[in-house]
Amino acid sequence: MGQNKERILEIFFRLMMGEGISIAEVANEYNVSTKSISRDLSEIKSFTFEHRQMLSNAEVKYHADVKKHFLELEHFLKPDELFALIKIIIGSRSLSKTETVEIISKLKNYVSKQDRDVLDELISSEIYSFNEINHDCKSVTDNLWKLTDCIKNHREITVEYYKMSRERVERRIRPLAITFTDYYFYLICFQLMDDDSWEIRYYRVDRIVRIIVHRTHFRVSKTDEVNEGDLMNKIQYMQPGNVKHIRFAFNGPSVQAVLDRIPTAKLLEKKDGEYIIEAEVIGPGIKMFLLSQGAWVRPLAPKDFVDDMRTEVEKMRERYG
């Protein structure tokens, strides 16, 4: 390969990596004239134009403010979009520090080097102080990918899993879906019970320490399909249970925070300084959330829900002596 072609490929690769190309600086690096680098950039511009569909409408543009050429692609993330994604990844704390840093490093390749430097300044302290969730598995992302393949191909699996009690157990399951909430990825599945029936269960993906894939395939009926979106709208803290309709009063400073936390919640009215809210929920997790709001919450219906909340408050009172 001639020196000119090799230089053009190197410059093109540097552009693809998000680097800004200064004609004067690059000419000095290669010990050639600025006219030579200008011709190189012209060839790259012609190539990207002729192959714009293959290259996602890539275009080499000159940024006068920094006097450099950059390669801009339609699928490149905008700096503000990437900043938001990185903040979500860091804030979720769902992956190990190593996995978090690796993913962020790869994402930063989708913005220019100039924007990359700015992002590094903005997130450096958060990365340094990052505290990961304690995981039992070696890699959450590896578990997710293997489980996703088993869900797609309807493969039965056996998992070794740490329960909340820290007892290590082995379970045969049929994986159905994966969802994320409150720092953790969860596997929704059917578990084989002692009487050979299958019952719905939720497993924290980071507590699965071994996955054995069986040759056995299973069929998913319409009644067995999991609507992750509907489930996440109704469940709190991934505590399984029956669907129920509840109504409660709230007199705290931010009713919007409550409505955001319970997507199915509807504000019925404001009466005597209280907001009356109803919601369709799944399982006992809603009790945990409403109790976290303290005296701002007053349960109204149904009776078993009111009694359950009252009993829990009485237990709390007893513990305080």
Side-chain angles (χ1 to χ4, degrees), residues 93-95 132-137 139-140 143-144 147 159-166 173 177-189 191 201-211 237-240:
R93 296 175 59 207
S94 58
L95 304 175
E132 63 190 49
I133 299 294
N134 290 324
H135 298 143
D136 294 307
C137 65
S139 170
V140 173
N143 270 6
L144 287 171
L147 291 169
V159 297
E160 289 184 24
Y161 182 80
Y162 277 105
K163 298 170 66 175
M164 285 190 290
S165 63
R166 304 310 296 158
I173 61 176
I178 291 174
T179 190
F180 176 84
T181 184
D182 300 314
Y183 304 115
Y184 308 114
F185 289 96
Y186 287 89
L187 171 67
I188 304 168
C189 63
Q191 176 183 306
R201 289 290 186 271
Y202 307 145
Y203 286 84
R204 260 178 51 180
V205 171
D206 60 287
R207 287 184 178 162
I208 298 174
V209 293
R210 189 169 177 231
I211 301 171
Y237 305 114
M238 289 305 290
Q239 293 200 358

Side-chain angles (χ1 to χ4, degrees), residues 95-152:
L95 304 175
S96 69
K97 187 169 185 175
T98 299
E99 289 174 317
T100 300
V101 170
E102 286 180 355
I103 289 174
I104 290 174
S105 296
K106 291 173 182 177
L107 282 172
K108 286 191 296 186
N109 288 327
Y110 287 87
V111 294
S112 69
K113 187 177 184 303
Q114 183 182 8
D115 291 329
R116 208 177 302 156
D117 293 339
V118 173
L119 285 169
D120 283 337
E121 289 182 24
L122 292 172
I123 66 173
S124 59
S125 62
E126 285 187 271
I127 292 294
Y128 178 78
S129 304
F130 182 81
N131 285 310
E132 63 190 49
I133 299 294
N134 290 324
H135 298 143
D136 294 307
C137 65
K138 292 180 179 178
S139 170
V140 173
T141 54
D142 285 351
N143 270 6
L144 287 171
W145 195 243
K146 182 175 281 190
L147 291 169
T148 299
D149 184 67
C150 294
I151 291 168
K152 176 184 175 184

Side-chain angles (χ1 to χ4, degrees), residues 287-309:
K287 180 178 68 175
M288 291 174 60
F289 170 67
L290 292 180
L291 285 170
S292 74
Q293 302 301 303
W296 290 336
V297 168
R298 183 167 60 91
L300 300 174
K303 185 178 183 302
D304 62 341
F305 167 65
V306 176
D307 292 342
D308 196 20
M309 289 281 285

